[in-house]
């Protein structure tokens, strides 16, 4: 007789298994680190706070990009992804060829940054729906332009991670999955932001729907209080982190997750890291 059968026969419910710490590497946004410090000191501060990787912005200036590479190596803090910077100012969904070319060039720079730094992903907001650009136009135009980037992404071995943001586009997990799948390319995947979908959906639902399409995660909390939507400190919003933990375990996600919050000093970053660890541990 097994222990479980014995306990059941005795009318004793077995203890629930404790949540397992997710095999996810904790990263921080470069923008969260104090701008008053040198680049090298910012990397070291992030490392000292307990982070294991960092996400850096597009850096077109060659000497600055090299400085970030050296800071990464010195602190032992890998740059795991690049936050593309041009997609909001110059969306790929624009009808203006000059705007689109500026956006494409920003992505080319981001992809080359990633190769230089040893990162494996570039985050891309694919389109912006606005009074000048319909939903259908945003879909068709952005996909057409992103396909132009796939050969370079493949050459450099860098994944383009499509992120869902508050851009009135990709408003459901089914739609997001379809958008990614239509490229039929291993170099186009989903960069899933847990906090961004909480205004109208449930992150755990999106995670299960996107599944293996997810290449990276952004971590932040969210609340809708007194008719005001706002991002909050971790563990102080309305996201069901236990459900998120279970969904990530279910799909077997074992990559990197980057916390995306306002910046602060060393004490603040230590507290962010502590809360981040609680989320990953299912506590």
């Amino acid at each position: 007789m097994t222990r479980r059968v014995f306990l059941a026969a005795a009318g004793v419910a077995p203890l629930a298994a404790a949540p397992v710490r997710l095999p996810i590497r904790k990263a921080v946004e470069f923008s969260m680190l104090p701008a008053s410090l040198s680049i090298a000191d910012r990397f070291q501060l992030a490392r000292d706070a307990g982070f294991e990787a960092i996400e850096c912005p597009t850096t077109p200036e060659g000497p600055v990009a090299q400085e970030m590479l050296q800071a990464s190596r010195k602190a032992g803090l890998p740059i795991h992804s690049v936050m593309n910077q041009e997609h909001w100012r110059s969306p790929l969904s624009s009808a203006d060829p000059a705007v689109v070319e500026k956006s494409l060039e920003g992505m080319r720079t981001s992809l080359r940054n990633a190769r230089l730094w040893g990162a494996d992903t570039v985050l891309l907001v694919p389109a912006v729906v606005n009074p000048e650009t319909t939903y259908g136009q945003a879909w068709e135009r952005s996909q057409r332009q992103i396909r132009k980037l796939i050969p370079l992404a493949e050459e450099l071995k860098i994944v383009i991670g499509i992120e869902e943001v508050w851009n009135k586009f990709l408003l459901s997990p089914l739609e997001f999955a379809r958008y990614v799948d239509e490229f039929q390319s291993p170099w186009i995947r989903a960069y899933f932001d847990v906090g961004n979908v909480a205004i109208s959906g449930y992150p755990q639902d999106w995670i299960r729907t996107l599944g293996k399409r997810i290449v990276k995660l952004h971590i932040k909390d969210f609340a809708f209080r007194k008719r005001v939507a706002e991002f909050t400190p971790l563990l102080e919003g309305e996201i069901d982190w236990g459900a998120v933990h279970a969904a990530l375990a279910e799909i077997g996600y074992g990559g990197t997750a980057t916390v995306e919050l306002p910046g602060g000093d060393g004490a603040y970053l230590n507290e962010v890291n502590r809360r981040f660890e609680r989320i990953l541990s299912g506590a």
Side-chain angles (χ1 to χ4, degrees):
M1 180 179 289
T2 66
R3 180 174 181 273
R4 182 176 295 274
V5 172
F6 175 80
L7 290 172
V12 178
L15 294 175
V20 175
R21 204 277 191 189
L22 295 170
I24 291 175
R25 185 169 60 163
K26 293 177 293 183
V28 65
E29 285 284 358
F30 182 77
S31 62
M32 290 177 59
L33 308 174
S36 58
L37 299 179
S38 69
I39 289 176
D41 286 345
R42 277 180 265 183
F43 272 73
Q44 190 60 53
L45 179 65
R47 184 65 174 165
D48 291 343
F51 293 99
E52 303 160 285
I54 190 168
E55 181 169 83
C56 291
T58 310
T59 305
E61 303 85 2
V64 178
Q66 287 290 340
E67 187 177 358
M68 296 182 87
L69 176 61
Q70 295 307 315
S72 168
R73 289 173 173 171
K74 182 178 179 181
L77 190 71
I79 301 172
H80 79 97
S81 66
V82 178
M83 170 78 79
N84 183 51
Q85 296 294 288
E86 195 61 45
H87 45 215
W88 278 111
R89 292 188 298 265
S90 310
L92 291 173
S93 51
S94 172
D96 185 338
V99 171
V100 171
E101 179 53 36
K102 190 172 182 180
S103 189
L104 288 171
E105 186 54 34
M107 271 298 291
R108 295 183 194 111
T109 300
S110 295
L111 288 164
R112 295 187 179 107
N113 282 159
R115 178 59 179 255
L116 171 69
W117 292 334
D120 58 15
T121 305
V122 170
L123 180 154
L124 172 64
V125 174
V128 177
V129 174
N130 55 35
E132 294 75 40
T133 304
T134 69
Y135 208 107
Q137 289 170 335
W139 189 288
E140 187 278 327
R141 291 173 184 171
S142 62
Q143 284 195 337
R144 174 157 37 91
Q145 300 306 327
I146 291 169
R147 286 191 175 95
K148 296 177 183 178
L149 295 167
I150 292 177
L152 180 60
E154 182 175 10
E155 175 189 339
L156 300 179
K157 302 295 185 284
I158 308 297
V159 171
I160 297 173
I162 305 296
E163 188 185 35
E164 87 296 345
V165 296
W166 289 3
N167 56 346
K168 302 185 186 300
F169 189 60
L170 302 180
L171 300 177
S172 82
L174 295 173
E175 211 174 295
F176 195 179
R178 176 189 159 199
Y179 184 86
V180 170
D181 289 348
E182 286 184 353
F183 288 100
Q184 298 182 322
S185 171
W187 304 105
I188 306 296
R189 295 178 64 188
Y191 199 128
F192 179 65
D193 188 303
V194 172
N196 283 349
V197 302
I199 191 170
S200 59
Y202 300 92
Q204 57 270 27
D205 177 29
W206 286 66
I207 290 167
R208 290 189 175 94
T209 301
L210 294 172
K212 297 299 183 182
R213 298 174 184 85
I214 298 175
V215 63
K216 302 282 184 182
L217 296 171
H218 266 169
I219 300 292
K220 56 177 178 269
D221 215 330
F222 174 85
F224 194 80
R225 298 169 177 154
K226 297 181 179 179
R227 302 177 64 84
V228 176
E230 62 180 356
F231 294 110
T232 73
L234 295 180
L235 302 177
E236 294 183 21
E238 298 171 357
I239 290 177
D240 184 342
W241 290 109
V244 169
H245 181 282
L248 289 170
E250 186 177 310
I251 70 168
Y253 181 78
T256 304
T258 303
V259 66
E260 188 180 28
L261 295 167
D265 59 13
Y268 167 80
L269 292 169
N270 276 297
E271 177 61 17
V272 169
N273 181 61
R274 186 186 70 81
R275 296 186 185 202
F276 199 173
E277 184 64 31
R278 282 183 59 190
I279 288 169
L280 297 179
S281 299

